[in-house]
Amino acid sequence: MPSRIHESVITVPFDSNIYLIGGFDRRGRSIRSFYFDTSRPNYGWRDIPKMLVGRERPSAIAFNGKLYVFGGTRNIYPQAETFDPETNEWIPLHEPNWELETQGGLAFTIPDDKSDIKLMVVCTDDYDKSLNTYDVKTQSWDHFELQCCSELGLDKAAIFANGVVYWYSKKQNNLLGYDLASRNWFPDPVAGLEEANVFPHRTDESPVWILHLGGETMCLTWYVKTHGSATNMTVYCTTFRVDKCDNGKGETILVATVESSACSHVNGSECLDFIAL
């Protein structure tokens, strides 16, 4: 692991590579990024060219052979940029007419029903949260506000799967679903998880990750540090699938089926991020 990146990096899987984007080091927000080729592990971590601006835990995604990076802090230009491994350079994206206030937010792709063009969608990490779409073909932006976010207490942990954005609510200690097509929250939290005891205890100050493993299968991961230790921890991981069901009242709800649960003890390292490969 590169020692020059201390914290607040974002991790992005890209083909056989794992990229570490931005972060925060001794000089402040980092413009440096690194990659690790899992097919050539002996090469270790290698640099890529510096970004155009320093970014602290931006949103990022690999799409169509390029890396797209959004936000990371306020009052920066460009707000978004893309890295092309073929040309080995960063290029600024067209600027939106509003600020992408995203730190640790979510970036994913969705099909556009009208033209079947893939869109970049960035979930911002501001107080009220919004969804921002970037059309790669037309290089245009759009966005809309999510409702009731402050009341729901949404965490940074979120994924997109099968038309639904899933968010972990730290305030409610459960998983919520947002239907992207109707732009409405599902009436109830995802059922079947709280009974399976997959969430951290409310007294734990535990960060939570949600990973999409493909199809309807997801993984919820969190850890608890050993008392008095900064680098020893117990990592909990639960895989489950989510299906849409009728609740008997004419409403669609989300129901989870737990497939496996495990915990592992990790010594001598500090966890910054989890990814699914």
Side-chain angles (χ1 to χ4, degrees):
M1 180 71 70
S3 60
R4 287 163 286 181
I5 297 295
H6 294 178
E7 58 184 20
S8 300
V9 298
I10 189 70
T11 312
V12 185
F14 185 4
D15 294 332
S16 63
N17 300 321
I18 300 172
Y19 282 81
L20 297 182
I21 308 295
F24 197 85
D25 57 25
R26 292 176 298 176
R27 298 179 180 179
R29 292 188 297 271
S30 179
I31 60 175
R32 308 197 69 170
S33 299
F34 307 86
Y35 76 98
F36 180 85
D37 189 342
T38 58
S39 66
R40 299 176 179 178
N42 293 335
Y43 284 29
W45 290 91
R46 290 181 284 180
D47 293 79
I48 64 173
K50 297 176 181 178
M51 288 187 292
L52 302 176
V53 66
R55 301 179 188 274
E56 182 184 356
R57 196 161 180 78
S59 301
I61 188 173
F63 173 73
N64 201 24
K66 297 179 181 180
L67 279 175
Y68 289 82
V69 182
F70 307 90
T73 189
R74 297 182 179 183
N75 302 319
I76 59 172
Y77 176 84
Q79 294 195 69
E81 54 187 299
T82 180
F83 176 72
D84 188 343
E86 293 294 326
T87 62
N88 206 35
E89 63 179 346
W90 291 93
I91 299 174
L93 296 183
H94 179 74
E95 285 289 294
N97 294 326
W98 58 89
E99 188 173 45
L100 293 178
E101 191 179 335
T102 172
Q103 255 193 344
L106 171 69
F108 54 91
T109 60
I110 61 171
D112 185 341
D113 293 335
K114 296 180 180 179
S115 57
D116 200 31
I117 298 173
K118 291 288 185 177
L119 302 178
M120 296 295 169
V121 180
V122 183
C123 299
T124 68
D125 194 36
D126 57 6
Y127 187 71
D128 290 321
K129 288 189 171 59
S130 63
L131 291 180
N132 304 275
T133 64
Y134 177 72
D135 190 319
V136 177
K137 186 174 182 179
T138 63
Q139 300 182 31
S140 59
W141 289 88
D142 192 11
H143 79 144
F144 59 91
E145 300 295 325
L146 293 174
Q147 303 298 319
C148 305
C149 289
S150 58
E151 301 172 14
L152 298 175
L154 300 180
D155 193 67
K156 295 178 181 179
I159 61 167
F160 174 75
N162 302 318
V164 179
V165 182
Y166 293 89
W167 252 297
Y168 171 67
S169 170
K170 191 169 185 178
K171 183 177 181 179
Q172 300 183 19
N173 203 32
N174 54 31
L175 194 62
L176 307 178
Y178 182 85
D179 184 71
L180 200 59
S182 65
R183 297 187 180 182
N184 287 306
W185 293 97
F186 282 85
D188 299 307
V190 177
L193 293 178
E194 189 170 359
E195 298 84 349
N197 197 29
V198 303
F199 297 112
H201 299 294
R202 291 184 180 272
T203 55
D204 293 333
E205 293 296 326
S206 305
V208 175
W209 286 262
I210 309 171
L211 307 177
H212 185 207
L213 304 183
E216 293 82 23
T217 304
M218 309 169 199
C219 175
L220 191 140
T221 301
W222 53 282
Y223 68 82
V224 176
K225 291 184 178 180
T226 303
H227 182 67
S229 173
T231 58
N232 297 337
M233 64 191 72
T234 301
V235 179
Y236 298 86
C237 179
T238 301
T239 60
F240 57 94
R241 58 173 292 128
V242 177
D243 297 292
K244 296 178 181 178
C245 303
D246 189 281
N247 65 356
K249 302 177 183 178
E251 298 175 323
T252 300
I253 61 172
L254 301 169
V255 179
T257 302
V258 174
E259 297 181 341
S260 65
S261 295
C263 68
S264 301
H265 300 285
V266 180
N267 299 322
S269 61
E270 185 175 0
C271 179
L272 296 177
D273 205 357
F274 288 90
I275 60 172
L277 294 175

mmCIF file of all heavy atoms in Angstrom, residues 136-155:
data_model
loop_
_atom_site.group_PDB
_atom_site.id
_atom_site.type_symbol
_atom_site.label_atom_id
_atom_site.label_comp_id
_atom_site.label_asym_id
_atom_site.label_seq_id
_atom_site.Cartn_x
_atom_site.Cartn_y
_atom_site.Cartn_z
ATOM 1 N N VAL A 136 -22.595 10.772 -20.785
ATOM 2 C CA VAL A 136 -21.263 10.703 -21.379
ATOM 3 C C VAL A 136 -21.284 11.110 -22.848
ATOM 4 O O VAL A 136 -20.363 11.765 -23.339
ATOM 5 C CB VAL A 136 -20.687 9.283 -21.223
ATOM 6 C CG1 VAL A 136 -19.336 9.163 -21.907
ATOM 7 C CG2 VAL A 136 -20.567 8.919 -19.750
ATOM 8 N N LYS A 137 -22.354 10.761 -23.563
ATOM 9 C CA LYS A 137 -22.410 11.040 -24.995
ATOM 10 C C LYS A 137 -22.606 12.525 -25.286
ATOM 11 O O LYS A 137 -21.912 13.111 -26.122
ATOM 12 C CB LYS A 137 -23.530 10.232 -25.646
ATOM 13 C CG LYS A 137 -23.567 10.354 -27.164
ATOM 14 C CD LYS A 137 -24.599 9.420 -27.769
ATOM 15 C CE LYS A 137 -24.584 9.513 -29.290
ATOM 16 N NZ LYS A 137 -25.571 8.579 -29.908
ATOM 17 N N THR A 138 -23.541 13.161 -24.579
ATOM 18 C CA THR A 138 -23.828 14.575 -24.837
ATOM 19 C C THR A 138 -23.035 15.505 -23.924
ATOM 20 O O THR A 138 -23.089 16.723 -24.091
ATOM 21 C CB THR A 138 -25.328 14.857 -24.640
ATOM 22 O OG1 THR A 138 -25.677 14.612 -23.259
ATOM 23 C CG2 THR A 138 -26.166 13.952 -25.533
ATOM 24 N N GLN A 139 -22.337 14.935 -22.930
ATOM 25 C CA GLN A 139 -21.557 15.708 -21.962
ATOM 26 C C GLN A 139 -22.420 16.751 -21.247
ATOM 27 O O GLN A 139 -22.012 17.891 -21.040
ATOM 28 C CB GLN A 139 -20.366 16.388 -22.648
ATOM 29 C CG GLN A 139 -19.414 15.409 -23.306
ATOM 30 C CD GLN A 139 -18.219 16.098 -23.935
ATOM 31 O OE1 GLN A 139 -17.771 17.134 -23.454
ATOM 32 N NE2 GLN A 139 -17.696 15.536 -25.010
ATOM 33 N N SER A 140 -23.619 16.331 -20.873
ATOM 34 C CA SER A 140 -24.557 17.237 -20.204
ATOM 35 C C SER A 140 -24.925 16.691 -18.828
ATOM 36 O O SER A 140 -24.865 15.484 -18.580
ATOM 37 C CB SER A 140 -25.818 17.416 -21.050
ATOM 38 O OG SER A 140 -26.458 16.166 -21.267
ATOM 39 N N TRP A 141 -25.326 17.605 -17.937
ATOM 40 C CA TRP A 141 -25.660 17.268 -16.558
ATOM 41 C C TRP A 141 -27.140 17.492 -16.278
ATOM 42 O O TRP A 141 -27.785 18.324 -16.899
ATOM 43 C CB TRP A 141 -24.859 18.142 -15.591
ATOM 44 C CG TRP A 141 -23.397 17.842 -15.516
ATOM 45 C CD1 TRP A 141 -22.407 18.372 -16.298
ATOM 46 C CD2 TRP A 141 -22.748 16.963 -14.599
ATOM 47 N NE1 TRP A 141 -21.184 17.874 -15.927
ATOM 48 C CE2 TRP A 141 -21.362 17.011 -14.877
ATOM 49 C CE3 TRP A 141 -23.200 16.142 -13.566
ATOM 50 C CZ2 TRP A 141 -20.435 16.264 -14.158
ATOM 51 C CZ3 TRP A 141 -22.275 15.406 -12.850
ATOM 52 C CH2 TRP A 141 -20.912 15.464 -13.152
ATOM 53 N N ASP A 142 -27.647 16.764 -15.292
ATOM 54 C CA ASP A 142 -28.981 16.997 -14.754
ATOM 55 C C ASP A 142 -28.954 16.552 -13.296
ATOM 56 O O ASP A 142 -28.079 15.767 -12.895
ATOM 57 C CB ASP A 142 -30.034 16.216 -15.543
ATOM 58 C CG ASP A 142 -31.459 16.662 -15.207
ATOM 59 O OD1 ASP A 142 -31.596 17.707 -14.532
ATOM 60 O OD2 ASP A 142 -32.405 15.969 -15.598
ATOM 61 N N HIS A 143 -29.883 17.046 -12.487
ATOM 62 C CA HIS A 143 -29.928 16.589 -11.100
ATOM 63 C C HIS A 143 -31.307 16.830 -10.509
ATOM 64 O O HIS A 143 -32.106 17.604 -11.029
ATOM 65 C CB HIS A 143 -28.846 17.269 -10.255
ATOM 66 C CG HIS A 143 -29.168 18.670 -9.830
ATOM 67 N ND1 HIS A 143 -28.804 19.172 -8.612
ATOM 68 C CD2 HIS A 143 -29.818 19.670 -10.459
ATOM 69 C CE1 HIS A 143 -29.211 20.425 -8.513
ATOM 70 N NE2 HIS A 143 -29.819 20.747 -9.607
ATOM 71 N N PHE A 144 -31.595 16.109 -9.422
ATOM 72 C CA PHE A 144 -32.824 16.325 -8.664
ATOM 73 C C PHE A 144 -32.560 15.991 -7.209
ATOM 74 O O PHE A 144 -31.688 15.184 -6.879
ATOM 75 C CB PHE A 144 -33.991 15.504 -9.224
ATOM 76 C CG PHE A 144 -33.766 14.015 -9.246
ATOM 77 C CD1 PHE A 144 -34.140 13.218 -8.175
ATOM 78 C CD2 PHE A 144 -33.187 13.404 -10.347
ATOM 79 C CE1 PHE A 144 -33.942 11.853 -8.192
ATOM 80 C CE2 PHE A 144 -32.986 12.031 -10.375
ATOM 81 C CZ PHE A 144 -33.364 11.257 -9.300
ATOM 82 N N GLU A 145 -33.319 16.632 -6.340
ATOM 83 C CA GLU A 145 -33.132 16.464 -4.904
ATOM 84 C C GLU A 145 -33.872 15.233 -4.397
ATOM 85 O O GLU A 145 -34.964 14.913 -4.858
ATOM 86 C CB GLU A 145 -33.633 17.703 -4.152
ATOM 87 C CG GLU A 145 -32.928 18.997 -4.527
ATOM 88 C CD GLU A 145 -31.467 18.990 -4.145
ATOM 89 O OE1 GLU A 145 -31.128 18.397 -3.097
ATOM 90 O OE2 GLU A 145 -30.658 19.567 -4.895
ATOM 91 N N LEU A 146 -33.263 14.549 -3.456
ATOM 92 C CA LEU A 146 -33.935 13.459 -2.758
ATOM 93 C C LEU A 146 -34.703 14.028 -1.572
ATOM 94 O O LEU A 146 -34.243 14.962 -0.916
ATOM 95 C CB LEU A 146 -32.919 12.428 -2.268
ATOM 96 C CG LEU A 146 -32.185 11.636 -3.348
ATOM 97 C CD1 LEU A 146 -31.110 10.777 -2.719
ATOM 98 C CD2 LEU A 146 -33.147 10.776 -4.129
ATOM 99 N N GLN A 147 -35.845 13.456 -1.285
ATOM 100 C CA GLN A 147 -36.703 13.967 -0.223
ATOM 101 C C GLN A 147 -36.421 13.262 1.106
ATOM 102 O O GLN A 147 -36.082 12.088 1.144
ATOM 103 C CB GLN A 147 -38.179 13.773 -0.602
ATOM 104 C CG GLN A 147 -38.572 14.433 -1.915
ATOM 105 C CD GLN A 147 -38.402 15.936 -1.877
ATOM 106 O OE1 GLN A 147 -38.731 16.582 -0.883
ATOM 107 N NE2 GLN A 147 -37.882 16.500 -2.955
ATOM 108 N N CYS A 148 -36.573 14.016 2.189
ATOM 109 C CA CYS A 148 -36.562 13.471 3.562
ATOM 110 C C CYS A 148 -35.221 12.879 3.974
ATOM 111 O O CYS A 148 -35.162 12.066 4.899
ATOM 112 C CB CYS A 148 -37.645 12.400 3.737
ATOM 113 S SG CYS A 148 -39.303 12.952 3.310
ATOM 114 N N CYS A 149 -34.133 13.263 3.329
ATOM 115 C CA CYS A 149 -32.846 12.649 3.649
ATOM 116 C C CYS A 149 -32.383 12.963 5.067
ATOM 117 O O CYS A 149 -31.822 12.113 5.753
ATOM 118 C CB CYS A 149 -31.790 13.099 2.647
ATOM 119 S SG CYS A 149 -32.031 12.370 1.016
ATOM 120 N N SER A 150 -32.606 14.202 5.511
ATOM 121 C CA SER A 150 -32.158 14.568 6.848
ATOM 122 C C SER A 150 -32.909 13.778 7.913
ATOM 123 O O SER A 150 -32.354 13.429 8.955
ATOM 124 C CB SER A 150 -32.345 16.072 7.068
ATOM 125 O OG SER A 150 -33.701 16.443 6.881
ATOM 126 N N GLU A 151 -34.180 13.466 7.654
ATOM 127 C CA GLU A 151 -34.968 12.689 8.607
ATOM 128 C C GLU A 151 -34.531 11.224 8.628
ATOM 129 O O GLU A 151 -34.597 10.556 9.655
ATOM 130 C CB GLU A 151 -36.451 12.775 8.245
ATOM 131 C CG GLU A 151 -37.007 14.195 8.240
ATOM 132 C CD GLU A 151 -38.425 14.244 7.700
ATOM 133 O OE1 GLU A 151 -39.046 13.168 7.581
ATOM 134 O OE2 GLU A 151 -38.901 15.343 7.386
ATOM 135 N N LEU A 152 -34.078 10.721 7.477
ATOM 136 C CA LEU A 152 -33.714 9.310 7.382
ATOM 137 C C LEU A 152 -32.322 9.030 7.932
ATOM 138 O O LEU A 152 -32.003 7.889 8.250
ATOM 139 C CB LEU A 152 -33.790 8.854 5.921
ATOM 140 C CG LEU A 152 -35.177 8.931 5.271
ATOM 141 C CD1 LEU A 152 -35.087 8.577 3.798
ATOM 142 C CD2 LEU A 152 -36.161 8.014 5.983
ATOM 143 N N GLY A 153 -31.488 10.055 8.027
ATOM 144 C CA GLY A 153 -30.145 9.859 8.566
ATOM 145 C C GLY A 153 -29.293 8.956 7.704
ATOM 146 O O GLY A 153 -28.663 8.015 8.195
ATOM 147 N N LEU A 154 -29.245 9.237 6.398
ATOM 148 C CA LEU A 154 -28.520 8.372 5.477
ATOM 149 C C LEU A 154 -27.020 8.454 5.696
ATOM 150 O O LEU A 154 -26.454 9.514 5.901
ATOM 151 C CB LEU A 154 -28.846 8.751 4.032
ATOM 152 C CG LEU A 154 -30.318 8.645 3.627
ATOM 153 C CD1 LEU A 154 -30.486 9.047 2.180
ATOM 154 C CD2 LEU A 154 -30.847 7.242 3.861
ATOM 155 N N ASP A 155 -26.373 7.304 5.622
ATOM 156 C CA ASP A 155 -24.933 7.206 5.759
ATOM 157 C C ASP A 155 -24.300 7.315 4.373
ATOM 158 O O ASP A 155 -24.988 7.412 3.359
ATOM 159 C CB ASP A 155 -24.579 5.863 6.418
ATOM 160 C CG ASP A 155 -23.145 5.810 6.893
ATOM 161 O OD1 ASP A 155 -22.812 6.559 7.822
ATOM 162 O OD2 ASP A 155 -22.367 5.027 6.329
#
